[in-house]
Amino acid sequence: TRPVTPIPARHAVVVAAGNDAANACNFSPAGAGGNVDNSRTGCANNDQCSNGVISVGSVTFQDARSSFSNFGQCVDIWAPGSSITSTWFRTGDRNPVNVQGGTPNNRNTVSFVNTISGTSMACPHVSGAMALFLQKNNGDVRAARADLLAFAQRNVV
């Protein structure tokens, strides 16, 4: 399920590896992650194209692969994705939580939270880090991707 259309080298795309406890290379868009042979994508000039995709797997707080997370050579990086508490809104929710310093009668300071798991919960961690590395590297996607992967701990998961 590798992409047929090359991704321009100026684009960085962070994707969820998937929640099937299977080889991420067999799923889209996660299969576009990992080391991609640009000859397969139709991109002959590595300076103009790159795989551009960073596929993110999920780990627990103990740095173990989340039982649901896809895995394999197409997963570029791992990030926390199990039991992530975040803001959440769902029609019918009736359990508001006051944001620190807020008052219950000020609608702007009331939010809803939920604790959920998934590789889509891991992606924001990597997206934020990638944004910082893009800033550091003046938008150079290849350099930012290299810095991101160099910064990650190896052989932990």
Side-chain angles (χ1 to χ4, degrees):
T1 59
R2 299 281 186 176
V4 175
T5 306
I7 297 171
R10 67 185 179 278
H11 293 195
V13 181
V14 178
V15 301
N19 302 320
D20 299 287
N23 187 340
C25 294
N26 296 328
F27 295 87
S28 180
N35 263 335
V36 173
D37 176 2
N38 278 334
S39 65
R40 293 183 62 201
T41 66
C43 185
N45 184 339
N46 286 336
D47 291 333
Q48 294 175 353
C49 298
S50 73
N51 65 348
V53 174
I54 300 167
S55 183
V56 184
S58 171
V59 295
T60 67
F61 290 109
Q62 293 80 27
D63 286 333
R65 182 179 65 85
S66 302
S67 61
F68 54 81
S69 182
N70 285 356
F71 52 85
Q73 69 180 13
C74 292
V75 175
D76 293 293
I77 195 167
W78 300 86
S82 289
S83 300
I84 302 299
T85 300
S86 184
T87 56
W88 186 266
F89 179 78
R90 185 176 62 211
T91 302
D93 276 343
R94 298 289 180 248
N95 299 314
V97 176
N98 290 336
V99 176
Q100 286 184 345
T103 57
N105 56 3
N106 180 343
R107 295 179 67 104
N108 293 329
T109 61
V110 175
S111 66
F112 295 89
V113 297
N114 196 8
T115 299
I116 58 176
S117 298
T119 54
S120 60
M121 297 293 97
C123 278
H125 299 288
V126 176
S127 296
M130 185 63 175
L132 293 173
F133 285 119
L134 281 166
Q135 180 183 25
K136 174 185 174 246
N137 289 287
N138 297 315
D140 183 331
V141 174
R142 285 180 188 273
R145 187 178 197 277
D147 280 357
L148 174 74
L149 297 178
F151 187 75
Q153 289 183 310
R154 300 232 178 254
N155 304 314
V156 174
V157 179

